[in-house]
Amino acid sequence: MENRKANENNCCPPEDNRPDLRSIEGPEADEELAQMLKALAHPARVQIVRILTRRDSCICGEIVDVLPLAQSTVSQHLKVLKEAGIIRGEVDGTRVGYCLNQRALRRFRALVAGL
Amino acid sequence: MENRKANENNCCPPEDNRPDLRSIEGPEADEELAQMLKALAHPARVQIVRILTRRDSCICGEIVDVLPLAQSTVSQHLKVLKEAGIIRGEVDGTRVGYCLNQRALRRFRALVAGL
DNA sequence: CCCGGCTATCGTCGATTGACGATGGAAAAT
DNA sequence: ATTTTCCATCGTCAATCGACGATAGCCGGG
């Protein structure tokens, strides 16, 4: 039995859970969608999201250990995901814990579902 | 009233509607997902999919007219989408009609939903 | 048969991506 | 205080992308 709840992240500040009122289509939505697609369009970044899904949160070093890539490369991929709003990072001393931004992921799924 | 049905394409041969038995996760799914994400990760290609969604099918020239891009560029984008299996093209004389591959799109949505 | 419209492909060029090692900086450990 | 650990950033290089014009191929109409 796990002591985590489905709607909580265990490493980052609580999320904004207000509903997303933005439209699912139109020029802005197209741009937004393309941007998120681009951020995810790399096997390593898909894997990172998968890892965070399983672990619920994860420090950077663990991801580096799992992926067959140099530390700097992983850091670069994390940056791409973070800038797209898909993940969030929380500094904890010398470590950095990353977790999914569930709100952004919901938005992404909604945009894809609208295709 | 339209004479088209939601589950039919009006330009391409009938689709294979058998359920997709492939897994939604794992290394192969990651690669497959990253490939589809990459194919869609461009504003012009998102727009093309949107156009095909609205029109149900569309000849190449119409897409060229709508997008602010050269004909050769649009053709290139169509090729990317086609190679990823997201759209299908049917030659009709001197024209080529494109339509969505709903089966592939369903697969894509399922993969994204599994993130 | 040649011509004109429609589409795909080729070649090119600048911009972006993705990989790496090296370096830097901040906090923890000694 | 020094060293160690962890992570981000920088610089570089090859590879890929995305845009375009030019060109080739194909089919239908005249």
Side-chain angles (χ1 to χ4, degrees):
Chain A
M1 180 145 357
E2 310 290 347
N3 60 351
R4 53 190 162 91
K5 302 176 186 173
N7 291 330
E8 281 183 10
N9 301 305
N10 57 14
C11 80
C12 296
E15 282 190 15
D16 178 359
N17 275 319
R18 288 174 297 181
D20 198 321
L21 299 178
R22 287 173 295 172
S23 170
I24 226 90
E25 60 182 17
E28 305 146 27
D30 285 4
E31 269 297 335
E32 183 194 358
L33 175 54
Q35 201 176 342
M36 300 190 82
L37 288 166
K38 200 173 171 187
L40 285 168
H42 191 287
R45 296 198 285 269
V46 170
Q47 276 195 273
I48 289 173
V49 171
R50 283 262 156 80
I51 291 169
L52 293 180
T53 298
R54 290 175 174 279
R55 296 201 170 211
D56 213 30
S57 106
C58 196
I59 63 175
C60 176
E62 300 184 88
I63 301 174
V64 172
D65 291 341
V66 171
L67 298 182
L69 295 169
Q71 178 266 327
S72 58
T73 305
V74 173
S75 191
Q76 194 67 24
H77 284 307
L78 288 167
K79 185 181 182 183
V80 171
L81 289 171
K82 192 174 177 182
E83 285 178 348
I86 295 169
I87 65 176
R88 305 191 296 157
E90 184 82 347
V91 176
D92 170 31
T94 175
R95 314 226 169 159
V96 178
Y98 284 99
C99 62
L100 295 177
N101 182 345
Q102 296 292 348
R103 179 179 167 82
L105 228 41
R106 277 197 303 273
R107 174 70 178 162
F108 178 59
R109 283 191 284 261
L111 285 168
V112 168
L115 277 183
Chain B
M1 185 124 14
E2 310 290 346
N3 61 351
R4 53 188 162 93
K5 300 177 185 174
N7 291 330
E8 282 183 11
N9 301 305
N10 57 13
C11 79
C12 297
E15 281 191 15
D16 178 0
N17 275 320
R18 287 174 299 181
D20 199 322
L21 300 178
R22 287 173 296 173
S23 170
I24 226 91
E25 60 182 17
E28 307 144 27
D30 284 5
E31 269 297 335
E32 183 195 358
L33 175 54
Q35 201 176 341
M36 300 190 81
L37 287 166
K38 200 173 171 187
L40 285 168
H42 190 288
R45 295 199 284 271
V46 170
Q47 276 196 272
I48 289 173
V49 171
R50 283 262 156 80
I51 292 168
L52 293 180
T53 298
R54 291 175 174 279
R55 297 201 170 211
D56 212 31
S57 106
C58 197
I59 62 175
C60 175
E62 299 185 88
I63 302 174
V64 172
D65 290 342
V66 171
L67 298 183
L69 294 170
Q71 178 267 326
S72 59
T73 305
V74 173
S75 191
Q76 195 68 24
H77 285 307
L78 288 167
K79 185 181 180 183
V80 171
L81 289 171
K82 192 174 177 182
E83 284 178 350
I86 295 169
I87 65 175
R88 306 191 296 156
E90 184 81 346
V91 177
D92 170 32
T94 175
R95 315 227 167 156
V96 179
Y98 284 98
C99 62
L100 295 177
N101 183 345
Q102 296 292 348
R103 179 180 168 82
L105 228 42
R106 277 197 303 274
R107 173 69 179 164
F108 178 60
R109 284 191 284 261
L111 285 167
V112 168
L115 276 183

